[in-house]
C-alpha cells in the first residue's frame, strides 16, 4: 500500500510536469508497489513475476523490474537480506541461518556439560584467558568459542553478585557439543521427512 501510494504520488507529479515523456499514473503505482514489496520481503524476482502476472504487460513488467532492482540495491545497503529478516534478527530469531542455527540455540550448555568435582589447572588457565561459557548459555554461543580457540573443552561458569568469584559448574567438551548437535540435526531431518 505504501509503495503503491508513493508511486502514484510520484506518477501524478511526473505526468503533470512532463506529460509528453512520462507514462500513466498506474504504471508508477505498480512500480512503487513492486519496489517496496521487493525491499521488504527480500524477494525481487518473485515480486516482479507477481506484478507481471497481474498486468500481463511487458512494458509494465520492465518498469517494475527497474524499480525492483533499484530498491533491492538500496535495501541491501541498509538492511541484511530483507527488512523482515532484519527485524527478526533484532528480536534474536535467526531464520536466515536455517534450521541448524535455530537448533544450536535450543541446546543448553548446562544439560551437556560434564560436572567436575575439583577443577584442574587447565580449567583455571582457560578461565584466566577469558575462555568460558555461561551455565545458562546455548551451543549457539559455545560453538564459535570452540572454533576460535581450538580447545577441547570450555569451562562452564556462573557469576554471583557483589564481586564474588565465579563458580565452576563443569566443562563442556567439544565432542559432546558436536554429538548433541548431530542428534538434533538427525531428529529435525527425521521430523522433516516423516
Amino acid at each position: 500500500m505504501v509503495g503503491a501510494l508513493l508511486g502514484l504520488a510520484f506518477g501524478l507529479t511526473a505526468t503533470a510536469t512532463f506529460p509528453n515523456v512520462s507514462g500513466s499514473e498506474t504504471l508508477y503505482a505498480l512500480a512503487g508497489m513492486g519496489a517496496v514489496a521487493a525491499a521488504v520481503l527480500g524477494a525481487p524476482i518473485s515480486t516482479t513475476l507477481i506484478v507481471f502476472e497481474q498486468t500481463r504487460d511487458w512494458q509494465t513488467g520492465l518498469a517494475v523490474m527497474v524499480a525492483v532492482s533499484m530498491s533491492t540495491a538500496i535495501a541491501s545497503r541498509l538492511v541484511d537480506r530483507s527488512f523482515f529478516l532484519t527485524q527478526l534478527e533484532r528480536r534474536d530469531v535467526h531464520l536466515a541461518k536455517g534450521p541448524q542455527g535455530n537448533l544450536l540455540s535450543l541446546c543448553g550448555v548446562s544439560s551437556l556439560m560434564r560436572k567436575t568435582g575439583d577443577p584442574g589447572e587447565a580449567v583455571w588457565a582457560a578461565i584466566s584467558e577469558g575462555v568460558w561459557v555461561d551455565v545458562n548459555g546455548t551451543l549457539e554461543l559455545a560453538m564459535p568459542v570452540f572454533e576460535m580457540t581450538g580447545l577441547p573443552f570450555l569451562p562452564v561458569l556462573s557469576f554471583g553478585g557483589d564481586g564474588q568469584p565465579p563458580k565452576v559448574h563443569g566443562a563442556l567438551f567439544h565432542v559432546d557439543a558436536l554429538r548433541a548437535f548431530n542428534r538434533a540435526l538427525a531428529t529435525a531431518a527425521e521430523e522433516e521427512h516423516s
Side-chain angles (χ1 to χ4, degrees):
M1 187 70 181
V2 171
L5 289 175
L6 286 174
L8 183 61
F10 181 79
L12 289 171
T13 306
T15 54
T17 308
F18 306 106
N20 297 334
V21 188
S22 64
S24 68
E25 295 91 357
T26 56
L27 175 69
Y28 291 104
L30 288 169
M33 177 186 65
V36 171
V40 169
L41 298 173
I45 295 172
S46 298
T47 304
T48 304
L49 289 174
I50 287 169
V51 173
F52 181 72
E53 283 182 16
Q54 288 176 345
T55 61
R56 299 202 184 273
D57 181 18
W58 68 270
Q59 290 176 328
T60 304
L62 187 61
V64 169
M65 208 179 309
V66 170
V68 163
S69 300
M70 290 174 55
S71 72
T72 302
I74 292 169
S76 68
R77 301 286 183 205
L78 300 176
V79 294
D80 187 27
R81 297 196 180 160
S82 77
F83 182 69
F84 283 150
L85 289 177
T86 302
Q87 283 184 321
L88 289 172
E89 288 286 332
R90 288 181 187 155
R91 293 181 182 160
D92 213 21
V93 176
H94 311 289
L95 290 181
K97 293 181 181 177
Q100 64 275 13
N102 188 35
L103 291 176
L104 286 174
S105 67
L106 297 176
C107 297
V109 167
S110 60
S111 64
L112 301 173
M113 70 178 183
R114 297 181 191 175
K115 296 188 183 342
T116 57
D118 181 29
E121 289 180 29
V123 170
W124 290 113
I127 294 170
S128 67
E129 292 178 17
V131 178
W132 52 271
V133 65
D134 190 86
V135 71
N136 297 320
T138 62
L139 287 184
E140 185 178 21
L141 301 173
M143 294 306 272
V145 178
F146 279 124
E147 191 77 27
M148 188 175 61
T149 62
L151 292 174
F153 70 91
L154 297 175
V156 180
L157 307 178
S158 66
F159 291 90
D162 303 328
Q164 294 178 350
K167 179 181 178 186
V168 179
H169 292 275
L172 174 67
F173 283 80
H174 197 194
V175 171
D176 296 337
L178 290 173
R179 192 175 294 133
F181 182 51
N182 192 25
R183 276 195 308 266
L185 280 174
T187 302
E190 186 178 304
E191 289 174 3
E192 191 175 296
H193 295 294
S194 63

